[in-house]
């Protein structure tokens, strides 16, 4: 990634560097890993922390292997999104922001909008969109994950 940016702008690789480190660390960033990225890119650690804490794709604590984000914007709410969130919480036995005891799932958060209103209600699991959800579709999606 560093080769894609001018040498004097290597800090521009902070997002891909954090992504790679997070992927190698089981899906989350520790302070030590962020410090290592800062050192590698010759950045102040606080600048790396700011990026990692700003973007929702980065997690600063251990998460389940599969990350679930459910849209809660108006289109999804009107089409049953609140019921889908409740159903997932009941199915997994955890609330939004929690991981299942076996470490398989985290209901990471309710997303404000993921720009998929025509397919409401929807969720993203590990970054993959699933639209027009029903409890049966949720079961098929979650039960099909390893």
């Amino acid at each position: 990634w560093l080769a894609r940016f001018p040498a004097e702008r290597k800090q521009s690789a902070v997002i891909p560097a954090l992504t790679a480190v997070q992927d190698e660390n089981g899906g989350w960033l520790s302070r030590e890993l962020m410090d290592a990225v800062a050192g590698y890119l010759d950045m102040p650690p606080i600048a790396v922390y700011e990026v990692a804490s700003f973007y929702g794709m980065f997690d600063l604590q251990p998460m389940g292997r599969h990350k679930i984000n459910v849209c809660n914007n108006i289109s999804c709410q009107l089409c049953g999104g609140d019921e889908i969130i409740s159903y997932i919480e009941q199915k997994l036995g955890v609330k939004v922001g929690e991981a299942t005891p076996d470490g398989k799932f985290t209901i990471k958060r309710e997303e404000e909008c993921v720009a998929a209103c025509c397919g409401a209600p929807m969720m993203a699991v590990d970054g993959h969109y699933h639209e027009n959800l029903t409890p049966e579709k949720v079961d098929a999606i979650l039960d099909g994950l390893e």
Side-chain angles (χ1 to χ4, degrees):
W1 276 100
L2 288 180
R4 296 179 184 201
F5 300 101
E8 69 278 3
R9 300 267 189 244
K10 66 182 178 179
Q11 71 273 12
S12 298
V14 67
I15 289 177
L18 288 171
T19 300
V21 169
Q22 178 171 272
D23 289 347
E24 289 296 316
N25 191 48
W28 71 287
L29 295 166
S30 67
R31 184 177 182 148
E32 294 77 20
L33 291 172
M34 291 185 284
D35 288 345
V37 168
Y40 184 71
L41 297 176
D42 294 326
M43 295 175 66
I46 188 66
V48 175
Y49 305 158
E50 289 170 344
V51 171
S53 64
F54 178 79
Y55 289 103
M57 64 189 156
F58 298 120
D59 297 305
L60 306 181
Q61 61 187 11
M63 296 277 154
R65 290 188 312 278
H66 300 289
K67 299 172 186 176
I68 303 167
N69 296 323
V70 181
C71 183
N72 71 347
N73 208 322
I74 190 70
S75 295
C76 284
Q77 284 182 351
L78 291 173
C79 292
D82 289 337
E83 291 83 7
I84 293 296
I85 292 168
S86 294
Y87 181 77
I88 294 169
E89 288 178 332
Q90 179 184 10
K91 175 180 179 64
L92 299 179
V94 295
K95 298 288 185 188
V96 171
E98 298 177 345
T100 56
D102 63 2
K104 186 173 181 179
F105 296 103
T106 293
I107 307 174
K108 190 170 172 186
R109 73 173 147 266
E110 296 178 54
E111 293 283 344
E112 184 54 36
C113 184
V114 291
C117 298
C118 62
M122 72 83 55
M123 68 180 176
V125 179
D126 300 333
H128 300 282
Y129 282 21
H130 301 279
E131 300 178 336
N132 302 304
L133 295 174
T134 62
E136 295 77 21
K137 284 185 179 181
V138 168
D139 286 342
I141 294 162
L142 298 184
D143 293 348
L145 296 171
E146 181 126 347

